Amino acid sequence: MTTIYPEASLDSLIESELPALVDCYKMLHAMPELSGQEEKTSAYLAGELRSLGFSVTVGVGKYCHKTWLGYGVVAVLANGPGPVVLVRADMDALPVEEKTCLPYASKVRACFRDAQEVGVMHACGHDVHVTSLIGTARMLARLKSSWQGTLVLIGQPGEEGGGGAQAMLDDGVFQLFPKPDCALALHVTSHLDAGRVAYVPGNFMASFTEVDITVHGVGAHGSAPERGKDPIVIAAQLILALQTIVSREISPIEPAVLTVGSIHGGTACNIIPDRVQLELSIRTYDDAVRDQMIASIKRIARGVALAAGVPEDRAPLVTRKAAHPANYNDPELTGRVAHSLTHALGEDNVVLAYPVMASEDFGTWGLGREIPTCMFWLGAADPVLFRESAASGVALPSHHSPHFAPLPEPTIRTGVKATTSVVLALLRGEDPPLKSNILQE
Ligand SMILES: [Zn+2]
Ligand SMILES: [Zn+2]
């Protein structure tokens, strides 16, 4: 027997699951795990997807970090011939001590970078992403008779600087499981009210490259600077000199950011140390611009140090570390996604947004634009607070803030509806989407 569901049927399916999904979100929020430590989150996600009939593989991911284990989850639901659609949710949390005072706030502490114990929080909303993925899986499993093709769901570890996407690809995800025709993801944002989504065709998020600089000096007594080469003064000059790279060496119409995010050196006020450590991040859309910036960093670091009298053999050491590519939202795929989102959520709830210089390793799944990818924003702000914030000009706590607090119910409802609607349209080959959202079971 075939049951025809009216347009509201997806809504009623979501409403029936929503209380359980909100509970799931609060549980995940209270048990955040740092990048490379996502043991419980991945086990929970795998269990949920397995119970829905997905073929689930756990422990996927090969890292260069010695102590990191691969906690990637790959879940496949093969449902006859048709497109292969990948949906990815990242699972990791951040070394941030939560200060939201919410009843389900995290009290978790864990070892960060093999040393100090820190507070851990889902301050980037990856708990919303995992919950939306579970909700979407439930919808698509329930509606299995209304689509054909293969659904590949990814629980990705290590997004926050961990290279989790690359680690999963290095472990053979596209060789061992169906290679997708397209890949989707969402990211929550407090810059949009819950109930709405935003999309950006083309350039969406910048590439990210981490660069370390060790400035070597010559240590001495704090009272006798003439006997040493002070790396703190050299580092201070270097930080200012580095600011000229974007302002003087890169075309003004080329987006680029260079941030010195960390500086460490010295132990006491009366000692000139023998080195200072700097950590930088670089964001660009063009790899050639990134390479030019790294070359400039090396040239300027060396020049500043030598000008201060540091011997040639103690010139600064510049090391390029973690990197991931820009997120390029394939325009054709993004057009289809925007159609589906508009159809599902209504025109007023779908916003065309601008690119940002933040970064996300989701773009890695596109294999350098071989596979079309699209990530869209999921509004997570309390609509009342959002309006007050817009009126006052005081921004709401954003990603990575200890006060970041998505409004669970409308955010998850919209995340599940948006993702399910987009995936259904792609699996059914709807382009443009059908006028009526008739689901069959
Ligand atoms: Zn983040
Ligand atoms: Zn994130």
Side-chain angles (χ1 to χ4, degrees), residues 254-277:
E254 190 62 58
V257 177
L258 183 157
T259 292
V260 180
S262 144
I263 170 166
H264 288 94
T267 52
C269 67
N270 58 350
I271 302 167
I272 292 173
D274 64 0
R275 68 175 165 166
V276 170
Q277 201 73 37

Side-chain angles (χ1 to χ4, degrees), residues 232-316:
I232 289 187
V233 173
I234 296 168
Q237 290 176 332
L238 175 57
I239 289 168
L240 292 178
L242 291 174
Q243 306 311 308
T244 62
I245 295 176
V246 173
S247 68
R248 302 291 88 186
E249 297 188 28
I250 306 296
S251 163
I253 53 172
E254 190 62 58
V257 177
L258 183 157
T259 292
V260 180
S262 144
I263 170 166
H264 288 94
T267 52
C269 67
N270 58 350
I271 302 167
I272 292 173
D274 64 0
R275 68 175 165 166
V276 170
Q277 201 73 37
L278 305 175
E279 292 181 330
L280 285 66
S281 58
I282 297 172
R283 324 265 177 164
T284 67
Y285 275 103
D286 185 334
D287 289 350
V289 173
R290 178 198 58 203
D291 294 345
Q292 182 191 345
M293 289 172 74
I294 292 171
S296 297
I297 291 168
K298 289 181 177 170
R299 188 193 76 241
I300 291 172
R302 181 183 157 80
V304 168
L306 295 191
V310 170
E312 188 86 35
D313 63 350
R314 292 187 66 74

Side-chain angles (χ1 to χ4, degrees), residues 66 91 95 115 136 149 155 173 227 258 264 269 321 342 358 389 416 432:
K66 285 185 220 87
M91 304 185 291
T136 300
V173 170
R227 294 177 193 268
L258 183 157
H264 288 94
C269 67
K321 296 180 75 186
T342 305
S389 154
V416 173

